[in-house]
Amino acid sequence: MSPLLEVEGLHKSFPTARNIFGRVTERTVVTKDVSFTVATGETLGIVGESGAGKSTVGRQVLRLIEPDSGVVRFDGKNVRDLGGKDLLAFRRRAQMIFQDPFSSLDPHMTIRNAVGEPLTIHYGIKGDERDRRVVDILERVGMRADQLDKYPREFSGGQLQRIAIARALTLDPDFIVCDEPVAALDVSIQAQVLNLLLDLQKERGLAYIFISHDLSLVRFLAHRVVVMYRGEVVETGTAEELFERPQHPYTKSLVEAVPDPRTRRRTTSTARIDTARNPAEAR
Ligand SMILES: Nc1ncnc2c1ncn2[C@@H]1O[C@H](COP(=O)(O)OP(=O)(O)OP(=O)(O)O)[C@@H](O)[C@H]1O
Ligand SMILES: [Mg+2]
């Protein structure tokens, strides 16, 4: 069976200097020959320091930006070639959750509209039917139905991230790119949101790309891990392999930076983070 997502040789550079005529005189390579796969129901962690190119990879995978070269195949199809109905289907099936829920939700939109909008755009579903679905999904992520007419500013960061997750789930996706989804949240809330992501994966067979600079989190959540360093994949393996036998000096330094090298790894579908504690300490 072919994987849900296949990424081959992604290359992306951005212009970083122009002459007085506006012509680009210098480009910086941000992703260089990046390749990996993600299977249905699998979590692939992407770790690396700030500026390593993690988010740029996530955006290329979702066709939010075009690679200079390389191929992203989703369910066997090159996403670059998708148009019309196929592109809409891809937009339904592949979603993204960002680090900062305050900026990923429109401040002028009620929660009812923020979560319901994709249903109207993709299926023309409105009114009571839409509300019913919005309430269902909000309850699933632990929010109450009486919060529908509130605005983002009325919620905490943790609640907003649940709402952002609800919005991403509305169209019943197969795959979500989670770009540092708990980095902006209080430590006490992080574990709740991560457990929600784990539970949703179990229920719905979701595949995730989980982007983080925190290797202990990734070890807990991810089945396999890609280590990026300055735009390149320097190492790929199961979380366990990387922890036990890191090969690249950068991976070694990441592993050494984790407080307890015997971090409990994700071995079963019942993996959970102790919500009472800092997820980074929950082992
Ligand atoms: N649109 C752009 N134009 C120019 N440079 C960009 C653009 N987007 C990203 N970059 C640069 O590409 C590099 C990689 O950025 P990216 O956001 O992918 O890194 P990251 O690994 O996600 O980092 P972080 O952990 O800080 O989120 C950075 O040096 C960034 O400044
Ligand atoms: Mg980033």
Side-chain angles (χ1 to χ4, degrees), residues 12-16 28-31 48-59 65 99 179-180 211-213 228:
K12 180 75 186 172
S13 63
F14 290 111
T16 42
T28 304
V29 175
V30 176
T31 58
E49 63 191 352
S50 185
K54 306 180 296 294
S55 297
T56 307
V57 168
R59 290 204 291 269
I65 56 173
Q99 171 170 346
D179 192 351
E180 307 255 14
I211 296 174
S212 180
H213 55 267
M228 285 189 69

Side-chain angles (χ1 to χ4, degrees), residues 169-239:
L169 290 175
T170 316
L171 299 172
D172 199 17
D174 305 300
F175 168 63
I176 305 180
V177 174
C178 307
D179 192 351
E180 307 255 14
V182 299
L185 305 181
D186 287 348
V187 164
S188 59
I189 305 297
Q190 289 184 359
Q192 294 174 15
V193 171
L194 294 171
N195 281 329
L196 174 63
L197 290 172
L198 283 173
D199 289 344
L200 291 168
Q201 178 171 55
K202 222 185 307 167
E203 283 167 31
R204 297 166 178 241
L206 281 164
Y208 294 135
I209 285 182
F210 190 91
I211 296 174
S212 180
H213 55 267
D214 183 342
L215 194 58
S216 53
L217 264 191
V218 166
R219 181 178 204 186
F220 194 83
L221 289 161
H223 301 97
R224 285 185 308 118
V225 181
V226 159
V227 180
M228 285 189 69
Y229 183 69
R230 297 190 178 171
E232 286 184 81
V233 173
V234 293
E235 207 163 338
T236 308
T238 64

Side-chain angles (χ1 to χ4, degrees), residues 1-2 21 27 34 45-46 52 60 66 78 100 105 111 125 142 144 176 178 180 199 201 206 212 225 228 252 258:
M1 202 177 78
S2 64
F21 306 107
R27 302 184 70 89
V34 169
I46 301 184
Q60 290 174 90
E66 291 281 317
N78 187 336
D100 181 6
L105 291 164
I111 299 318
I125 297 172
R144 295 194 319 268
I176 305 180
C178 307
E180 307 255 14
D199 289 344
Q201 178 171 55
L206 281 164
S212 180
V225 181
M228 285 189 69
K252 285 182 184 159
V258 172

Side-chain angles (χ1 to χ4, degrees), residues 97-118:
I97 301 168
F98 297 90
Q99 171 170 346
D100 181 6
F102 288 96
S103 55
S104 65
L105 291 164
D106 182 339
H108 306 295
M109 240 191 214
T110 61
I111 299 318
R112 178 196 306 275
N113 289 332
V115 177
E117 187 185 45

Side-chain angles (χ1 to χ4, degrees), residues 15 17-26:
R18 293 174 192 272
N19 64 18
I20 53 166
F21 306 107
R23 188 188 290 268
V24 174
T25 54
E26 189 189 285

